[in-house]
Amino acid sequence: MFEKYLSKTTKSMALYEHAKRVLPAGVSYGIRYFEPYPFYAAKAKGSKLYDVDGNEYVDFWLGHTALILGHSPPTVIKAVKEQLENGTHYGTSHELEIALAEQIQKMVPNAEMTRFTNSGTEANMYATRLARAYTSRSKIAKFEGGWHGGYDALHIGVKHPFNIPESAGLTAGATQDTILLPFNDLEGAKKRLKNKEIASIIIEPVLGAGGGVPAEKEFLKGLREFCDEKGILLIFDEVITGFRLASGGAQQYYDVNADITVFGKILGGGFPVGAFCGRKEIMERLDTRIYERPNYTFHGGTFTANPITMTAGLATLKILEDGRLINKLNKLGQKIRTQLREIFEANGVDVQATGAASLFNIQFTKEEVKDANAVFGADRKKLVDYHLALISNGIFFLPTHTGTLSTKHSKEDIEKLFTETEKYAKLH
Ligand SMILES: Cc1ncc(COP(=O)(O)O)c(C=O)c1O
């Protein structure tokens, strides 16, 4: 099964042998490893990734879904080059951070105030802390299959079976206040929260790592009402959905408001970023002029709001602001989900297409996929096999992960996906 890949990636194989000596598993993030070894990228442009052996890949992984404008979009690169000459990191306040916070507010009206971080993980950590501080409650809730980064309190119930700890080194104390809820099941969630005082419920409006499963609109609306009723802060983790589902993210797409919104990925325009935003009265807990210890909530970081990221983010959001490109991508996403399903069905393979907007994946199962249980219950081995077959033929998905579209994907790129999928489906 690996024959073609092995013969095309000899330099990557040598690099992998080398990398293993200094990087655990030869990678800098566990999920980037896949069998027999990952290829090592040499450059990227538009919709394409190129590896050290000179192979070209149509990239549907797009830097963990971050690159909605494709690799190195000229407008963003030009702005960043100019900023590089004016300083890479100030460690002081500057105008660009104000401009980006205002741009977020313009696109996501609920985001009255923002604080920047360097990753989605950090942003979720600070958002959780803020919710706890604001409500004076300790317990929090998240959903099965929800991935919010590696912060201890949110690092449970990501992979099936949900009762096995996600990582060694997580103390009981760090996770004992986190309640796990069933996704797309309002009554089930309410039942698990009965008689519990909780600070926040955090949700990915579309499960990303959990298989690209969208929340149902009625479920999200019900969750919003439940949070209002109980004084719970609803946190939307829009690290993937932000500026992708709509210019106003999942809140606009679903017409449901969150109390705190967390962003990452697209917001950085290709550079490291995270942000948490919310209503003024909540965010003011971070204001040292108003609150003192022990009532104020800490947030910070050496590289927060660094001018390179702020520049790239601002240039990116301005391009996305009117929603035109996003709408186009969403239509293409719908077409891809439909066509991939039809290709497999025509070849007698049972699949479900998951995803929403410009996110798409395939699950090899007959059953309807409404939560991460169904995703993990599908044939994961076959999904890896399908993605590896695509990689060997010049189409990159990080195996099992959701595919993503950028404005740089061409008709030919999409046709290639269909053609290679058809070849695979015919043989399986
Ligand atoms: C929905 C979601 N939240 C949070 C994170 C964590 O973000 P980061 O990897 O920037 O820490 C991710 C990353 O994949 C994500 O998909």
Side-chain angles (χ1 to χ4, degrees):
M1 146 184 176
F2 296 132
E3 238 166 71
K4 188 165 181 183
Y5 183 75
L6 291 170
S7 69
K8 284 173 73 176
T9 57
T10 51
K11 282 189 183 159
S12 278
M13 190 199 292
L15 273 183
Y16 171 64
E17 291 304 320
H18 194 144
K20 275 192 302 187
R21 287 182 230 138
V22 284
L23 303 169
V27 292
S28 291
Y29 186 173
I31 64 169
R32 292 184 191 159
Y33 173 82
F34 55 87
E35 285 192 342
Y37 50 81
F39 65 77
Y40 288 77
K43 61 178 184 175
K45 184 73 191 155
S47 63
K48 308 290 190 321
L49 255 181
Y50 301 87
D51 69 14
V52 288
D53 288 279
N55 297 305
E56 178 184 283
Y57 302 87
V58 178
D59 186 8
F60 289 112
W61 172 234
L62 292 171
H64 299 237
T65 78
L67 305 171
I68 195 168
L69 302 178
H71 292 276
S72 298
T75 314
V76 177
I77 295 302
K78 182 169 176 284
V80 166
K81 277 185 176 164
E82 281 166 21
Q83 181 54 43
L84 280 170
E85 296 299 327
N86 290 327
T88 60
H89 173 44
Y90 299 141
T92 68
S93 301
H94 56 95
E95 282 188 50
L96 292 163
E97 64 191 5
I98 310 171
L100 187 55
E102 278 179 349
Q103 184 68 33
I104 294 172
Q105 189 199 52
K106 203 166 155 198
M107 294 169 76
V108 188
N110 225 20
E112 290 176 1
M113 298 185 112
T114 290
R115 275 292 177 94
F116 294 104
T117 64
N118 295 300
S119 69
T121 300
E122 275 176 71
N124 278 318
M125 175 181 80
Y126 285 123
T128 300
R129 181 184 290 184
L130 177 60
R132 282 172 159 158
Y134 182 79
T135 57
S136 303
R137 298 172 182 173
S138 304
K139 291 200 183 301
I140 56 171
K142 76 173 284 287
F143 287 90
E144 290 167 350
W147 170 241
H148 307 288
Y151 166 49
D152 287 11
L154 295 173
H155 203 176
I156 69 163
V158 181
K159 289 200 206 88
H160 204 266
F162 299 123
N163 60 343
I164 297 180
E166 295 295 334
S167 167
L170 292 171
T171 63
T175 54
Q176 72 193 7
D177 284 329
T178 308
I179 300 161
L180 208 51
L181 306 177
F183 192 73
N184 270 336
D185 175 3
L186 187 61
E187 288 316 308
K190 283 184 182 174
K191 216 161 139 190
R192 290 195 201 169
L193 293 174
K194 202 164 175 209
N195 300 327
K196 298 212 165 66
E197 285 242 297
I198 61 165
S200 57
I201 298 179
I202 187 167
I203 185 164
E204 283 181 271
V206 179
L207 291 179
V213 185
E216 288 166 355
K217 189 167 179 170
E218 285 314 304
F219 167 68
L220 278 187
K221 283 197 179 294
L223 203 60
R224 176 68 273 174
E225 280 165 22
F226 178 71
C227 286
D228 287 341
E229 211 177 286
K230 303 282 182 194
I232 299 165
L233 294 186
L234 181 59
I235 305 177
F236 271 14
D237 178 347
E238 294 226 42
V239 169
I240 290 179
T241 57
F243 315 110
R244 177 172 287 284
L245 262 52
S247 59
Q251 297 185 69
Q252 183 185 337
Y253 184 85
Y254 283 103
D255 191 23
V256 176
N257 281 341
D259 297 300
I260 301 176
T261 310
V262 175
F263 293 114
K265 303 201 195 265
I266 290 175
L267 177 64
F271 292 83
V273 82
F276 59 111
C277 325
R279 290 197 309 277
K280 184 164 175 275
E281 49 146 342
I282 300 171
M283 295 299 284
E284 269 179 356
R285 292 284 165 150
L286 299 148
D287 189 335
T288 46
R289 300 167 314 162
I290 303 174
Y291 292 94
E292 287 183 353
R293 266 203 314 165
N295 295 316
Y296 120 93
T297 314
F298 175 81
H299 149 260
T302 298
F303 286 102
T304 46
N306 84 80
I308 303 301
T309 298
M310 297 296 104
T311 299
L314 195 56
T316 301
L317 293 203
K318 281 192 181 300
I319 293 171
L320 298 173
E321 186 179 338
D322 67 12
R324 217 172 29 89
L325 291 170
I326 292 176
N327 286 341
K328 243 172 107 178
L329 287 186
N330 290 358
K331 283 198 189 111
L332 187 56
Q334 182 57 46
K335 180 182 153 149
I336 292 175
R337 285 188 294 278
T338 305
Q339 202 148 329
L340 288 181
R341 182 174 43 75
E342 286 175 359
I343 290 171
F344 279 109
E345 279 174 4
N347 287 283
V349 185
D350 289 323
V351 296
Q352 304 290 325
T354 51
S358 54
L359 302 165
F360 61 98
N361 205 355
I362 284 295
Q363 309 299 337
F364 289 94
T365 175
K366 252 191 193 159
E367 313 299 326
E368 193 188 4
V369 175
K370 284 175 70 173
D371 58 21
N373 282 304
V375 169
F376 288 104
D379 191 338
R380 302 284 283 178
K381 263 190 158 155
K382 192 152 190 174
L383 184 55
V384 173
D385 188 56
Y386 166 51
H387 281 166
L388 286 176
L390 292 179
I391 292 170
S392 300
N393 289 294
I395 297 174
F396 185 54
F397 282 75
L398 193 68
T400 77
H401 281 75
T402 299
T404 312
L405 291 173
S406 79
T407 55
K408 285 289 175 258
H409 281 103
S410 65
K411 246 187 167 164
E412 292 73 37
D413 292 337
I414 307 301
E415 273 312 311
K416 187 172 166 72
L417 172 65
F418 293 151
T419 311
E420 292 302 334
T421 297
E422 188 141 29
K423 279 194 217 158
Y424 178 83
K426 276 196 160 67
L427 293 173
H428 297 81

